[in-house]
Amino acid sequence: MLLITAGPTTSAGSESQEASNNSQTTPNLASQLGSGLLLISPFFFWGTSMVAMKELAPHTSPIFVSAFRLLPAGVALVAWAAASGRQQPKGWQAWCACALFGLVDGTAFQGFLAEGLQRTSAGLGSVIIDSQPLTVAVLAALLFGEKLTSASYAGLGLGVLGLSLLEVPVDILTTLPQQALGLLPVEQVDLSEVVGQGAPPSRTLWDNGEWWMLLAAQSMALGTIMVRWVSKYVDPVMATGWHMLLGGLPLAALSLAKEGSELGPRLQQLTGLDMALLLYISLLGSAASYGVFFYNASKGNLTALSSLTFLTPMFAAGCGFLFLGEGLTPLQLGGATVTLGAVALLNSGQRNA
């Protein structure tokens, strides 16, 4: 009789244990999925905010949008951090760290970005701004000893290539290499056409949009590196909120001084959709995104985290395709594929470092 009952008892126990294991696996998978989505959420919100800013352009001005991205976001994030029990900055070192963080990653980054967007094409500008993981990788290796494997180097290079295919117009991609090799003549200015018209106005480095975008990229890269230092004196989420507040104030003053005459009439044309988009780029595109990004930057591998910036233009292109009817060429789809491969390669290289 014991032999008869032993079999079912063992089977029932095995089934019970298996069911328990399955019940534990399901929450683990859900937790991992949630963590992954939270990790890439800043890049999704940054990409979709680019599309929102494009829609806002007719009724706003560049520096005003930069200031609005920071100020309400800073208020919201500081309030949330305080409500969740995070400490306010204490002491002059903490406030100096927040102020310097805000100057570099808030005022400088958003200000340079606003100026650059007015002077360069969206595609080339985006490639420059989203190539900042290269700077982060170098600085993280020098300052924090993060090792770069051959896969990491390959991933960084492929990332820039993928961004170029995704964002730079086809005619520029085809003509620039041919001009560099001497296969196409470089356009020359006919001096006979300008004789008697006076000398053309001289252009300086500060008239170059690519230069402004390069400065913006380096500002964001430096801000990403700085958060490790800032978090020694103040909670990283609280510091992120204050850095947006302190960095947004100079931009608001600059907007009033430089754009005040044209800003008023434009703001009077704001629609309900425009207000919703402004809140989107501030609360989700800045408060939530920067809070998550800099919290992760204060703890994790900076090179691997920064490499996810390569995903930002992919989300922007996808959102433009879905909501603005912007087409995607086979070359752009290929660029998106290369970019995804670059992110996977770089992250695998950092895990093995």
Side-chain angles (χ1 to χ4, degrees), residues 104-151:
V104 172
D105 190 76
T107 306
F109 171 60
Q110 294 292 345
F112 292 154
L113 181 62
E115 291 294 333
L117 287 174
Q118 299 177 72
R119 293 175 169 83
T120 190
S121 66
L124 185 57
S126 295
V127 170
I128 297 173
I129 196 69
D130 292 324
S131 65
Q132 54 93 12
L134 298 173
T135 304
V136 172
V138 173
L139 291 177
L142 292 175
L143 298 176
F144 303 121
E146 291 188 3
K147 295 181 180 180
L148 293 175
T149 65
S150 56

Side-chain angles (χ1 to χ4, degrees), residues 59-279:
H59 298 162
T60 57
S61 58
I63 302 178
F64 167 79
V65 171
S66 297
F68 196 90
R69 285 194 70 179
L70 295 179
L71 290 174
V75 172
L77 193 56
V78 167
W80 180 87
S84 62
R86 299 175 183 270
Q87 290 189 348
Q88 295 282 355
K90 292 182 179 180
W92 67 270
Q93 288 180 314
W95 284 110
C96 285
C98 288
L100 187 58
F101 188 26
L103 179 64
V104 172
D105 190 76
T107 306
F109 171 60
Q110 294 292 345
F112 292 154
L113 181 62
E115 291 294 333
L117 287 174
Q118 299 177 72
R119 293 175 169 83
T120 190
S121 66
L124 185 57
S126 295
V127 170
I128 297 173
I129 196 69
D130 292 324
S131 65
Q132 54 93 12
L134 298 173
T135 304
V136 172
V138 173
L139 291 177
L142 292 175
L143 298 176
F144 303 121
E146 291 188 3
K147 295 181 180 180
L148 293 175
T149 65
S150 56
S152 302
Y153 286 114
L156 289 169
L158 282 177
V160 176
L161 174 62
L163 291 179
S164 301
L165 295 175
L166 183 63
E167 298 176 315
V168 178
V170 177
D171 56 342
I172 296 180
L173 285 175
T174 54
T175 56
L176 281 181
Q178 295 182 65
Q179 288 179 346
L181 295 173
L183 301 178
L184 283 180
V186 179
E187 184 178 352
Q188 301 290 331
V189 178
D190 187 354
L191 295 180
S192 64
E193 295 181 0
V194 296
V195 172
Q197 299 179 11
S202 59
R203 288 176 57 86
T204 68
L205 185 63
W206 299 102
D207 296 316
N208 189 299
E210 289 77 9
W211 170 246
W212 286 99
M213 298 301 278
L214 181 63
L215 290 176
Q218 305 318 304
S219 298
M220 184 176 180
L222 188 56
T224 303
I225 293 294
M226 283 180 65
V227 74
R228 289 276 181 90
W229 168 70
V230 174
S231 61
K232 293 181 179 180
Y233 303 103
V234 61
D235 175 84
V237 177
M238 183 66 78
T240 301
W242 276 110
H243 110 286
M244 287 191 285
L245 270 174
L246 297 174
L249 289 174
L251 290 173
L254 182 61
S255 176
L256 289 175
K258 188 176 181 180
E259 304 170 335
S261 59
E262 64 181 50
L263 187 58
R266 286 191 176 190
L267 294 182
Q268 292 176 4
Q269 302 176 23
L270 289 178
T271 65
L273 177 60
D274 292 330
M275 291 302 300
L277 292 176
L278 282 170
L279 290 175

Side-chain angles (χ1 to χ4, degrees), residues 291-313:
V292 171
F293 178 80
F294 284 121
Y295 176 81
N296 288 328
S298 69
K299 300 180 180 301
N301 184 285
L302 289 174
T303 302
L305 176 66
S306 182
S307 72
L308 297 177
T309 304
F310 290 145
L311 299 176
T312 300

